[in-house]
Amino acid sequence: MKRSLAIYLVMVIPIAVDAADPPKQPEPAAKGVAPQSDLDKMLRLIGHPLVVDNRRIVFNAYGSYEQVSSRWVKDVEKLKSSAVPEVAKVAKQASQKVEAKLKLIEQTEKAKDELTRAAARKNLTGGVGIAALQDLLFGLNEVELEHLKDAGRISREDVNGLLQRRAELNAAATQQFMKYFAEALPIQILASRKIYRLKNEAAVAIPDAFEPLLERVRDRAGKGEPTVVVRAAIDPAYDFVDGRDTTTALFDVRNKSDKPLTQLTIKMEFATSEGKRTVYGYIPKLEAGAAAWFDPVPVARGFLLDEPRPPGGGINKLEAASYSIWCDQFRSESEKLQPTPIDQFKILQMLYALSPGTKYISVGGQKEPSGRLTFTITRFNREAPNKGLAFDYTETVQNAKAPKVTKVEASVTLPTPKWDKQKRLMDLDPLIVNVKAGQNVLKFTLQEDSKGCWNWNTPLDKFVMQSVPTEEFKAHDELMQRLRAAVIAKRVSDVKALAQEALDKYPDTPAEQFAKMSLSELKDGKEVANSFKVNSVWVGDDKVFTVTELNGEKFTATIAVGSDIKRLVKGTITDTKISWLAQDVRVGQGGAGGDNFGTFGSDIRGDKIDFVWNDGGNKGKYTLRLKKEK
């Protein structure tokens, strides 16, 4: 009979501790310091994104090439009027540089879409035809045809003829689609490369703006002894789909003192075999013993030199790295670093999941124990993992007077790296914790999920132990849940109050983003309908809807779908609804379409109209959004 995990674990050094005298729990991490000065606001905006102490709190939301956006520009522009001259200057320069790149990205996206649609019209119209393709995709298969033959409904000649026709259709359709892909794929790849380069150029403009702020940062730095450990590595990688080098540099910072560090600014300089890269980071507060690691920093050949690298064309190497740090407690400038091998860097990062004080609690599973289980790491040295670890195993049994606590000793098996032929790190095996239970050894695999939580996947009972976030992140999550419930229930006053609380307490976090989205959705359909004016333009996919006349509840508008369909429609608008019928459409080019019924609304992207259409035989949905004036 299969034993439960609880039975196995109590066999491990069975020292039960009464709940009246529980093991000392680590104190929850103090909440981060929310900077108030314009200088700190700017440092947060242009600092490289990071995660502190494996807790999924991302302090800076825009500093990497994937996160530069028009929203970032708007947030920076708010500081143009700062009373701090350096901040005002940086806000103006950074926002202008990034906005120019974003416009080029928008133009590239538009050109890519137009060229792709042109390739589709050229290669996917005509040919085998829609009816033939439908027969190819949905017609009777060979088995069904054989059944019809056996039933005497068709002859063998009919079956052979239909199968031959199907084979000819398949060959023709394949050839037709291959022509389309041969023309469209290079367009997609070239556009993707250009957009990647433009985003990188926008990201580079951000740390360039940091320099004018350094004097202010230096002036406020303390004069104590440095208490940090900094590591850096390079992670060679290649995207075989886009055909581009995606090599990145990695770095992290650990506070080795027993006191928190505040207002910490770091400057990282990487010298690679392809060129140099400098990035900055800003951490409001780094607790004692805590660590912060930063988003990967692009140092690919295409990024540094604007030159492609073939798949087997060598590897970019990290030749040197240095850092400077300024915080309220100390300053440390131009410190040299010995690069850490990438597999060691990532393994050491994984070992943070076993930091003393980290808690894991059982969740879900097919056969969860009757009570709640908790693991609390009490001893582990990530610099000497071979010395093993200790954790307290707490079992909360239903109807029991008090939980039982068992002290457990375990060993750690480090992940084995997997390399490709070019000596690039492809993958790491899971981290394994080995617990001896009687004559058996239980192997727990630790893996990070998509939300940044570390999970112990247990060999028995098929349940997982999931990491418990800090008190700050629990409060952050609880606020998001309350806000989400208020949005669903449409409690407007609660939404406004909770969203404002999120904006004040948790800048540059998912709570802030959700708060802004929630506030944008407070706009009701009647208010959005007021945007439906003469000359207003509503767009979606390849559709352009332009209002030409508006008289009370009646309107006239033109609709263009690509270059193939042009219509003049007459319809009705009432409160939050809009509609027109196919019989009221005057066709300029293409067909009249079906009856269309829309509802005004809004989301984080702005005002919109959600439509459903029906032509008697077919139906579908689409969305049009109000085009913003330049």
Side-chain angles (χ1 to χ4, degrees):
M1 182 181 294
K2 186 177 176 181
R3 284 177 163 174
S4 73
L5 176 66
I7 293 175
Y8 272 116
L9 283 178
V10 294
M11 297 169 63
V12 186
I13 315 177
I15 306 173
V17 181
D18 190 81
D21 185 24
K24 185 178 180 181
Q25 302 294 336
E27 293 187 4
K31 293 187 177 182
V33 175
Q36 299 297 321
S37 73
D38 284 355
L39 174 62
D40 289 311
K41 289 177 182 177
M42 180 58 73
L43 291 174
R44 289 181 77 127
L45 283 167
I46 61 180
H48 201 71
L50 60 104
V51 176
V52 173
D53 201 23
N54 201 25
R55 299 298 194 243
R56 298 185 289 150
I57 294 291
V58 181
F59 280 108
N60 306 313
Y62 315 107
S64 73
Y65 75 93
E66 288 293 352
Q67 294 160 317
V68 175
S69 65
S70 57
R71 180 184 152 202
W72 181 90
V73 173
K74 291 178 181 178
D75 287 345
V76 171
E77 285 181 336
K78 293 175 183 177
L79 294 170
K80 285 183 179 180
S81 58
S82 171
V84 182
E86 295 89 344
V87 171
K89 179 180 179 182
V90 167
K92 182 178 180 180
Q93 292 178 346
S95 59
Q96 287 178 344
K97 288 181 179 179
V98 173
E99 190 169 30
K101 299 298 179 184
L102 291 175
K103 287 181 178 179
L104 290 174
I105 290 171
E106 184 181 354
Q107 292 170 7
T108 304
E109 291 275 14
K110 184 177 180 180
K112 178 193 71 173
D113 292 343
E114 289 176 351
L115 290 171
T116 302
R117 284 196 294 268
R121 288 193 294 270
K122 175 182 175 182
N123 296 286
L124 298 182
T125 54
V128 298
I130 297 299
L133 284 174
Q134 287 178 334
D135 176 65
L136 180 64
L137 295 171
F138 308 113
L140 297 175
N141 60 36
E142 186 173 356
V143 174
E144 292 168 328
L145 290 173
E146 288 292 339
H147 281 309
L148 290 175
K149 179 188 73 67
D150 293 341
R153 296 177 62 183
I154 58 176
S155 66
R156 166 56 62 186
E157 290 74 19
D158 292 331
V159 172
N160 292 340
L162 287 169
L163 292 177
Q164 177 64 29
R165 173 59 178 158
R166 188 73 52 76
E168 292 171 355
L169 281 173
N170 187 53
T174 300
Q175 186 176 14
Q176 193 169 340
F177 278 103
M178 289 302 293
K179 286 181 179 179
Y180 164 70
F181 286 124
E183 186 171 339
L185 193 58
I187 295 170
Q188 298 281 347
I189 290 175
L190 289 173
S192 175
R193 289 177 182 173
K194 184 176 180 181
I195 290 169
Y196 172 77
R197 186 174 71 250
L198 288 168
K199 286 185 175 182
N200 286 342
E201 290 172 358
V204 169
I206 295 173
D208 283 350
F210 225 113
E211 289 296 329
L213 304 177
L214 280 183
E215 204 56 45
R216 291 259 181 183
V217 171
R218 287 191 178 101
D219 287 345
R220 73 179 187 183
K223 298 181 179 179
E225 288 295 317
T227 60
V228 294
V229 176
V230 182
R231 298 181 308 130
I234 194 166
D235 188 9
Y238 193 86
D239 187 330
F240 288 90
V241 176
D242 280 353
R244 56 182 171 87
D245 182 11
T246 55
T247 298
T248 56
L250 308 175
F251 69 104
D252 63 15
V253 181
R254 180 169 65 88
N255 178 9
K256 62 181 182 179
S257 75
D258 57 359
K259 295 181 180 179
L261 302 177
T262 51
Q263 314 295 23
L264 187 150
T265 303
I266 181 170
K267 176 183 180 181
M268 284 294 306
E269 295 177 284
F270 300 102
T272 77
S273 53
E274 303 290 3
K276 296 181 179 181
R277 179 83 198 271
T278 300
V279 293
Y280 294 84
Y282 173 73
I283 307 171
K285 189 174 187 179
L286 190 61
E287 293 290 349
W293 44 89
F294 295 75
D295 274 13
V297 179
V299 290
R301 182 183 184 88
F303 182 95
L304 297 173
L305 302 177
D306 195 18
E307 295 177 6
R309 178 194 292 282
I315 288 180
N316 191 357
K317 298 179 180 179
L318 184 57
E319 296 178 342
S322 63
Y323 70 89
S324 298
I325 287 182
W326 305 271
C327 61
D328 292 339
Q329 290 70 32
F330 64 84
R331 70 166 62 186
S332 181
E333 299 188 353
S334 302
E335 299 287 345
K336 302 297 182 184
L337 275 177
Q338 186 67 32
T340 303
I342 184 60
D343 57 326
Q344 293 182 28
F345 184 96
K346 290 193 172 183
I347 289 172
L348 284 170
Q349 202 169 73
M350 293 172 70
L351 292 177
Y352 277 109
L354 299 176
S355 298
T358 305
K359 288 184 180 181
Y360 293 84
I361 191 165
S362 59
V363 292
Q366 299 177 11
K367 191 179 178 183
E368 187 171 351
S370 59
R372 184 68 70 186
L373 304 181
T374 303
F375 294 169
T376 303
I377 309 298
T378 56
R379 189 193 75 247
F380 183 70
N381 183 353
R382 59 191 290 271
E383 305 298 335
N386 59 321
K387 293 185 178 181
L389 65 86
F391 64 89
D392 287 345
Y393 158 66
T394 304
E395 183 181 8
T396 305
V397 182
Q398 290 180 354
N399 302 321
K401 292 183 179 179
K404 292 183 179 180
V405 180
T406 303
K407 294 185 179 299
V408 179
E409 296 283 336
S411 62
V412 176
T413 301
L414 298 181
T416 300
K418 298 176 182 177
W419 309 90
D420 68 3
K421 294 180 180 179
Q422 297 293 323
K423 299 298 182 183
R424 291 184 288 240
L425 181 64
M426 300 297 292
D427 196 11
L428 282 171
D429 290 335
L431 184 66
I432 298 176
V433 174
N434 307 288
V435 179
K436 189 174 182 181
Q439 299 299 314
N440 300 290
V441 176
L442 303 181
K443 294 183 180 293
F444 296 81
T445 59
L446 270 77
Q447 292 180 302
E448 190 176 17
D449 64 20
S450 60
K451 296 181 179 179
C453 279
W454 283 90
N455 298 327
W456 294 47
N457 296 299
T458 61
L460 300 170
D461 295 325
K462 295 184 179 179
F463 70 92
V464 299
M465 304 293 293
Q466 189 174 80
S467 56
V468 179
T470 60
E471 293 301 316
E472 178 181 13
F473 192 76
K474 284 200 293 187
H476 167 279
D477 259 10
E478 288 169 1
L479 179 58
M480 283 189 65
Q481 291 170 7
R482 288 160 53 205
L483 177 55
R484 187 175 289 110
V487 170
I488 292 172
K490 299 186 183 300
R491 300 194 304 268
V492 176
S493 60
D494 288 346
V495 171
K496 289 181 178 179
L498 292 169
Q500 191 58 52
E501 183 181 349
L503 294 173
D504 293 339
K505 288 185 177 180
Y506 302 106
D508 304 327
T509 67
E512 182 207 48
Q513 297 169 22
F514 186 66
K516 290 187 175 181
M517 180 183 72
S518 301
L519 288 173
S520 71
E521 291 182 345
L522 289 179
K523 200 173 181 181
D524 62 25
K526 288 184 179 180
E527 191 176 353
V528 176
N530 291 332
S531 301
F532 192 84
K533 302 174 181 178
V534 175
N535 296 325
S536 64
V537 180
W538 302 74
V539 297
D541 295 329
D542 55 351
K543 302 177 182 65
V544 179
F545 180 102
T546 305
V547 182
T548 57
E549 294 181 27
L550 188 59
N551 186 9
E553 295 184 347
K554 302 297 181 181
F555 74 87
T556 304
T558 61
I559 300 178
V561 184
S563 59
D564 300 327
I565 296 175
K566 294 181 180 179
R567 300 168 182 154
L568 181 72
V569 303
K570 294 181 180 293
T572 303
I573 175 174
T574 57
D575 289 333
T576 63
K577 303 293 184 181
I578 178 175
S579 63
W580 69 86
L581 304 178
Q583 65 188 34
D584 298 323
V585 175
R586 192 172 75 193
V587 177
Q589 187 176 338
D595 299 336
N596 289 253
F597 304 90
T599 302
F600 289 97
S602 69
D603 57 22
I604 194 170
R605 294 173 59 187
D607 296 351
K608 64 174 183 172
I609 312 174
D610 293 319
F611 281 98
V612 294
W613 61 268
N614 190 324
D615 64 4
N618 299 302
K619 58 184 178 181
K621 301 178 181 179
Y622 64 95
T623 297
L624 297 179
R625 295 183 178 276
L626 179 63
K627 186 176 181 180
K628 296 179 181 178
E629 297 179 1
K630 297 293 184 180

